[in-house]
Amino acid sequence: MNHTPPTHSGFGTLAIHAGQPPEATTGAVMTPIFQTSTYVQESPGKHRGYEYSRTDNPTRTAYQSCVAALEGAQHALAFSSGLATTDAILHTLRTGDHVISCDDVYGGTFRIFDKVFKKMGIEFSFVDLADLNQAEKAFRPNTKLLWMETPTNPMLKILDIQTLSSLAKKRGVLTVVDNTFMSSYFQKPLQLGADIVVHSVTKYMNGHSDVVGGVLATNNSQVYTELKFLQNAVGAVPAPMDCFLVMRGLKTLHVRMERHEKNAKEIAHFLEGHPKVERVIYPGLESHPQHALAKKQMSGFGGMITFFLKGDLAAARRFLENVQLFSLAESLGGVESLIEHPAIMTHASIPAETRKILGIHDNLIRVSIGIEEVSDLRADLEQALKEV
Ligand SMILES: *Cc1c(COP(=O)(O)O)cnc(C)c1O
């Protein structure tokens, strides 16, 4: 019996079965955690495909195959964090190369670009890629990579993956899409023309706030070969236990994402109608300036909401100190609801001037809506808003 699901299987089937046939020697239905660093060889150089776990590990192989299936990709590579994944991709560049990045990129991504790779002579332009004119003007003869994150963080701007990818392709520039906010379930960047899709699996892909990890997927064999070399040569690989945990998380990705979205839609509407809230940003709201584009390129709107309180930093503090069910914490995408203050927390590494330009003001709050009972989430926000 062949336990490999056909590639045209539905998302939920792939999430549960892709890359994970029962284990050959025992029939174990769950892929074992191959907690080993090395593998016995029959004769020097003669082995069963595994020689050392930095290079390859069976638990990681299964996990990578599963992610590849979910992204509709030929190849996937896993790393020890989302930023280690970014690091590997940037290592394909050379001194003098130029990267175009969206301006309100994840804080840690901005930091590795600005503080690590700039020092090595790689040039960066941070551009509002929602403005296609600005995007087009940003290309230079030495541009090698177009880096986008959509929806952006925390302003939830939507970038047109298809148009931006084709602008890049015309110039021989590779496009990378950070798909962390939508997960493989709601957005398929490779189908829209991107060359590489990346995730911080720390967020929705694993979904249980108990692993830090990253993964990338691509259909470009040359890019894959180069990145596979870097995965081993630089060595930021995930441990077998983490691979197992992310694979377990992936099995419920489709179910979780549906519920995240259902809850988020209801909370977004609630906040939009609340007198103490100035403005709500959620791609699923008609009021989102790019709602139509969001509908076109995503199959759902996700679980992230950004909103502005009426008031100043003190009001925001008071609100955040009074939530009870929402945990005041960085990160997102777990089954539990989290709330945070980007200016002080996740986006502190972005200079105050830039934050101002991007609209990350002191009354801005970001929530990651979990999959609890939505009535409880709503009641918690309601009582905390009363304290403002
Ligand atoms: C968290 C995050 C990252 C970085 O991932 P880590 O796993 O924390 O290294 C990159 N991009 C986005 C959009 C993120 O939310």
Side-chain angles (χ1 to χ4, degrees):
M1 192 167 156
N2 180 3
H3 289 273
T4 313
T7 46
H8 62 261
S9 300
F11 191 95
T13 306
L14 295 173
I16 292 165
H17 296 289
Q20 301 158 75
E23 197 268 328
T25 50
T26 61
V29 168
M30 287 301 126
T31 305
I33 302 163
F34 284 92
Q35 194 71 45
T36 187
S37 60
T38 190
Y39 307 81
V40 72
Q41 307 197 2
E42 219 174 282
S43 159
K46 197 168 170 206
H47 54 76
R48 299 173 220 176
Y50 293 95
E51 32 186 339
Y52 187 63
S53 277
R54 171 162 33 71
T55 315
D56 277 307
N57 173 283
T59 316
R60 195 168 89 217
T61 304
Y63 159 39
Q64 291 175 163
S65 303
C66 185
V67 172
L70 297 183
E71 288 289 347
Q74 293 289 322
H75 315 282
L77 291 166
F79 295 85
S80 56
S81 70
L83 284 175
T85 316
T86 303
D87 177 73
I89 296 170
L90 268 286
H91 264 105
T92 62
L93 303 180
R94 289 158 197 271
T95 303
D97 285 349
H98 174 240
V99 178
I100 302 171
S101 167
C102 56
D103 56 2
D104 69 344
V105 72
Y106 173 73
T109 305
F110 175 77
R111 186 175 53 200
I112 196 173
F113 288 173
D114 187 59
K115 293 277 191 303
V116 180
F117 284 98
K118 212 188 221 174
K119 220 168 53 186
M120 300 182 183
I122 294 176
E123 299 163 16
F124 294 90
S125 299
F126 295 94
V127 178
D128 178 4
L129 295 179
D131 179 343
L132 294 172
N133 269 331
Q134 281 196 43
E136 190 136 28
K137 277 193 212 133
F139 287 93
R140 299 183 194 161
N142 57 338
T143 305
K144 290 285 157 36
L145 218 57
L146 173 65
W147 190 282
M148 58 176 119
E149 198 179 302
T150 179
T152 65
N153 175 19
M155 303 312 285
L156 304 177
K157 277 192 299 203
I158 311 294
L159 307 183
D160 186 337
I161 300 174
Q162 196 157 24
T163 306
L164 289 164
S165 299
S166 77
L167 287 181
K169 193 154 282 170
K170 267 191 243 158
R171 295 162 172 87
V173 172
L174 287 184
T175 305
V176 184
V177 175
D178 182 335
N179 205 20
T180 301
F181 271 36
M182 283 299 108
S183 86
S184 307
Y185 186 63
F186 280 143
Q187 184 165 267
K188 296 274 191 283
L190 300 181
Q191 285 173 20
L192 295 167
D195 298 293
I196 306 172
V197 55
V198 306
H199 292 273
S200 165
V201 300
T202 313
K203 319 296 167 48
Y204 290 107
M205 298 287 268
N206 177 57
H208 294 73
S209 304
D210 50 13
V211 171
V212 169
V215 74
L216 64 84
T218 183
N219 279 316
N220 183 325
S221 298
Q222 197 184 330
V223 164
Y224 167 72
T225 305
E226 203 174 340
L227 287 166
K228 167 84 181 140
F229 168 80
L230 285 166
Q231 183 193 42
N232 182 53
V234 179
V237 292
M241 177 76 179
D242 285 354
C243 296
F244 171 85
L245 285 170
V246 180
M247 239 188 314
R248 181 162 81 164
L250 287 174
K251 288 177 193 291
T252 56
L253 180 63
H254 51 302
V255 181
R256 285 186 284 110
M257 292 313 290
E258 294 281 352
R259 184 63 176 267
H260 279 295
E261 185 193 33
K262 187 162 177 277
N263 284 359
K265 269 186 179 156
E266 187 167 333
I267 295 294
H269 280 120
F270 159 71
L271 289 170
E272 197 164 49
H274 199 284
K276 288 188 179 167
V277 174
E278 187 179 284
R279 183 159 80 93
V280 182
I281 310 175
Y282 179 67
L285 289 175
E286 300 274 338
S287 60
H288 191 290
Q290 295 163 297
H291 179 62
L293 175 59
K295 245 165 64 180
K296 190 178 137 210
Q297 76 176 13
M298 291 140 55
S299 57
F301 303 109
M304 298 301 297
I305 304 172
T306 294
F307 64 99
F308 296 87
L309 281 176
K310 279 183 187 157
D312 52 8
L313 181 60
R317 257 189 206 287
R318 196 152 171 78
F319 172 68
L320 291 169
E321 284 166 2
N322 277 284
V323 288
Q324 282 159 13
L325 185 53
F326 280 79
S327 301
L328 177 61
E330 299 198 3
S331 198
L332 60 109
V335 290
E336 68 292 321
S337 293
L338 301 180
I339 194 161
E340 68 115 1
H341 190 271
I344 296 176
M345 298 167 69
T346 48
H347 291 65
S349 56
I350 294 177
E353 280 289 282
T354 315
R355 282 205 305 265
K356 216 174 185 177
I357 296 166
L358 296 175
I360 307 173
H361 301 303
D362 286 345
N363 61 337
L364 185 150
I365 310 280
R366 188 188 80 180
V367 283
S368 169
I369 301 295
I371 62 171
E372 299 96 336
E373 278 308 319
V374 71
S375 54
D376 295 328
L377 296 176
R378 188 185 160 133
D380 189 35
L381 294 174
E382 183 124 57
Q383 65 78 25
L385 282 166
K386 274 209 186 90
E387 301 297 322
V388 176

